[in-house]
């Protein structure tokens, strides 16, 4: 990796920016198994407002990570699914989650110690 890999306008920062948003990784992970309607995503995720979910889905769509499809039904409904590009982020998200599971207690202990 070049020494300037984290400077402005580099691809590494783009990747970190995609995952630094609190909800991006959560929504991508929630879509890993199948397409979902926004109402189903909200139930599955918990703690996310409709507004924030809509903004997150639009941002992920803008970045080519999710696809929005209108399902011809009565009434018509919208579903979101991962694109092939979005699927490529599942392994890094899984690895980060595994790291958090293994080291999360240490991070929380450090935070508590810093507040004493």
């Amino acid at each position: 990796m070049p020494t300037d890999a984290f400077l402005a306008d580099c691809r590494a920062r783009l990747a970190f920016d995609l995952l630094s948003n609190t909800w991006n990784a959560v929504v991508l992970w929630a879509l890993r198994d199948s397409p979902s309607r926004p109402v189903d995503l909200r139930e599955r995720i918990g703690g996310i407002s409709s507004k924030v979910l809509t903004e997150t889905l639009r941002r992920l769509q803008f970045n080519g990570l999710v696809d929005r499809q209108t399902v011809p039904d009565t009434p018509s409904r919208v579903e979101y699914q991962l694109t092939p590009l979005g699927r490529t982020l599942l392994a890094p998200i899984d690895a980060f989650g595994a790291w958090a599971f293994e080291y999360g207690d240490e991070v929380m202990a450090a935070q508590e110690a810093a507040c004493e």
Side-chain angles (χ1 to χ4, degrees), residues 2 21 32 39 82 107 110:
N21 177 282
R32 74 188 179 283
V39 67
L82 293 177
V107 172

Side-chain angles (χ1 to χ4, degrees), residues 11-99:
R11 289 185 171 103
R13 273 188 52 185
L14 171 69
F16 283 114
D17 285 346
L18 286 173
L19 293 181
S20 67
N21 177 282
T22 303
W23 294 109
N24 284 356
V26 174
V27 171
L28 290 170
W29 192 255
L31 286 169
R32 74 188 179 283
D33 293 326
S34 63
S36 293
R37 296 171 51 205
V39 67
D40 297 329
L41 283 172
R42 276 195 66 215
E43 286 179 17
R44 190 172 315 136
I45 293 170
I48 188 170
S49 69
S50 295
K51 178 183 183 231
V52 171
L53 177 59
T54 299
E55 289 170 353
T56 302
L57 288 166
R58 286 179 181 160
R59 183 174 42 255
L60 293 171
Q61 186 180 9
F62 174 80
N63 286 295
L65 303 174
V66 300
D67 220 4
R68 179 183 190 269
Q69 295 185 343
T70 303
V71 178
D73 220 353
T74 305
S76 65
R77 58 190 172 116
V78 172
E79 287 185 342
Y80 290 87
Q81 65 182 6
L82 293 177
T83 63
L85 180 61
R87 291 204 163 281
T88 65
L89 281 174
L90 293 178
I93 292 168
D94 187 44
F96 198 69
W99 180 90

